[in-house]
Amino acid sequence: MDWDKLRIFHAVADAGSLTHAGDVLHLSQSAVSRQVRALEEALGTTLFHRHARGLILTEQGEMLFDATKAMARKLDTTAARIKDSEEHVFGELKVTTTTGFGTMWLVPRLSKLYARYPDLKIDLLLEERVLDLPMREADVAIRMKEPSQADLIRRRLLNIRMKLFASAEYLQQVGTPRTMADLGPHRLICQSPTTPQVMSGAVLSQTLLAQNMNSALLVNNYFGVLQGVLNHVGIGILPDYLVTDFPHLVRVLPDIESTEVPVFLAFPEELRSSRRVAAFRDFVLEEIQLLRRSQGE
């Protein structure tokens, strides 16, 4: 099979459209179509069902797409290894983590990493969905649970808990609750228990929302909860790793907190020797050590 035709087939199968594949490959739609037809003729089979809304892979097309995806992953890994120099860290690193941890903890620290490796390019994917690392949807993941996927190198970074925080200004206006029964006049800021999040956070939110508080603000990520707390909207459920960066936040009802949540860093076994992965891993471990030290103090 012609490698160039396979490359074009892979782009079409991935995009589901001749036009979109042409844009990615910088080829005309007619040139892409000719290459796909030539590949179908060479294989003696139909690879796509064509209809008005786009292209759908046939059974034979699915088989070939599985093969080209595996080839693309292998080529990406090989290219990464070739680009990694023993003395210089550069190139793209795809990192995934949750919206809360990424926006509130990781991004504010990345200037230190860039100062050390100015030619590094980080593609940061912030979402609650667990991306498939072996399929190279990302190179490195920081997750609030131990990864279950096989062939991953994993490292437990720390354990966190969700706790109650408010601003001093808000507590001066509304008062500081001393018991759960005192929460009635207050406004709770939290994620809805049905929003994708760690189970312990959802359980704590559900418990507090059942206290018949006068008002509530439900946000679909912890960054939004933090903004509400900082702007004196109410009492928020937030992860305790924020205490270091926001020391002026006031802990409310210290006896109330979620169960422990483990935080893991993971990456595929095949990237063990990647300089970019090692640089990012070491940077995160250093920052976690600083966080632990500050929490201990």
Side-chain angles (χ1 to χ4, degrees):
M1 283 182 278
D2 187 302
W3 285 97
D4 199 48
K5 290 184 177 63
L6 287 175
R7 177 178 67 90
I8 292 171
F9 161 79
H10 180 80
V12 174
D14 192 46
S17 160
L18 294 171
T19 303
H20 292 159
D23 292 341
V24 172
L25 297 168
H26 305 293
L27 295 172
S28 68
Q29 179 181 341
S30 59
V32 173
S33 180
R34 282 196 304 272
Q35 293 291 331
V36 171
R37 282 201 172 88
L39 181 60
E40 289 179 325
E41 289 171 6
L43 293 173
T45 189
T46 301
L47 298 174
F48 295 99
H49 293 302
R50 294 162 175 81
H51 60 85
R53 291 178 296 171
L55 302 174
I56 298 176
L57 286 165
T58 63
E59 183 179 351
Q60 292 78 11
E62 289 281 5
M63 291 170 60
L64 186 59
F65 189 39
D66 287 342
T68 58
K69 281 191 291 187
M71 291 161 57
R73 288 198 305 273
K74 203 69 177 175
L75 287 170
D76 287 343
T77 301
T78 303
R81 288 174 176 170
I82 291 171
K83 288 179 181 177
D84 278 337
S85 161
E86 290 186 0
E87 299 178 354
H88 189 49
V89 175
F90 66 101
E92 183 178 304
L93 183 69
K94 195 177 289 187
V95 178
T96 179
T97 189
T98 60
T99 303
F101 192 82
T103 56
M104 298 188 297
W105 191 86
L106 181 58
V107 169
R109 289 165 169 77
L110 287 181
S111 60
K112 298 180 186 178
L113 181 63
Y114 283 122
R116 197 178 302 174
Y117 307 110
D119 297 326
L120 187 62
K121 297 176 183 177
I122 295 177
D123 182 1
L124 188 57
L125 307 171
L126 301 179
E127 53 182 298
E128 311 314 307
R129 181 173 67 93
V130 177
L131 299 188
D132 193 330
L133 296 186
M135 292 293 287
R136 297 303 302 279
E137 287 188 305
D139 300 316
V140 184
I142 299 176
R143 284 290 164 195
M144 309 299 128
K145 62 182 291 188
E146 183 170 6
S148 58
Q149 294 165 311
D151 301 323
L152 293 181
I153 296 172
R154 62 206 73 198
R155 175 76 176 264
R156 191 168 187 148
L157 298 176
L158 75 161
N159 298 314
I160 63 175
R161 292 178 186 270
M162 309 302 164
K163 301 175 181 179
L164 292 174
F165 295 95
S167 67
E169 290 89 338
Y170 171 82
L171 295 176
Q172 286 170 3
Q173 294 170 9
V174 188
T176 301
R178 303 298 175 188
T179 67
M180 288 271 277
D182 298 335
L183 287 174
H186 292 272
R187 180 176 299 109
L188 181 68
I189 313 172
C190 66
Q191 291 199 64
S192 166
T194 59
T195 299
Q197 60 184 298
V198 293
M199 180 58 69
S200 59
V203 170
L204 181 58
S205 296
Q206 202 165 28
T207 301
L208 293 172
L209 287 170
Q211 298 304 308
N212 295 320
M213 298 172 70
N214 282 356
S215 179
L217 170 62
L218 304 183
V219 190
N220 68 346
N221 60 64
Y222 284 117
F223 180 73
V225 175
L226 174 63
Q227 293 306 305
V229 171
L230 293 177
N231 289 282
H232 328 306
V233 176
I235 298 172
I237 299 176
L238 289 167
D240 58 8
Y241 58 74
L242 290 175
V243 173
T244 302
D245 295 341
F246 300 92
H248 56 286
L249 291 181
V250 181
R251 176 88 187 271
V252 177
L253 297 175
D255 293 336
I256 297 177
E257 59 185 29
S258 74
T259 56
E260 210 166 55
V261 180
V263 181
F264 281 85
L265 181 144
F267 54 90
E269 175 75 35
E270 61 190 18
L271 292 181
R272 178 189 289 273
S273 60
S274 168
R275 294 282 296 171
R276 281 170 292 179
V277 170
F280 181 80
R281 177 202 61 204
D282 293 346
F283 159 74
V284 170
L285 290 176
E286 289 172 15
E287 291 300 314
I288 291 295
Q289 281 298 109
L290 293 175
L291 174 62
R292 284 175 170 163
R293 198 173 303 151
S294 66
Q295 287 179 330
E297 293 170 357

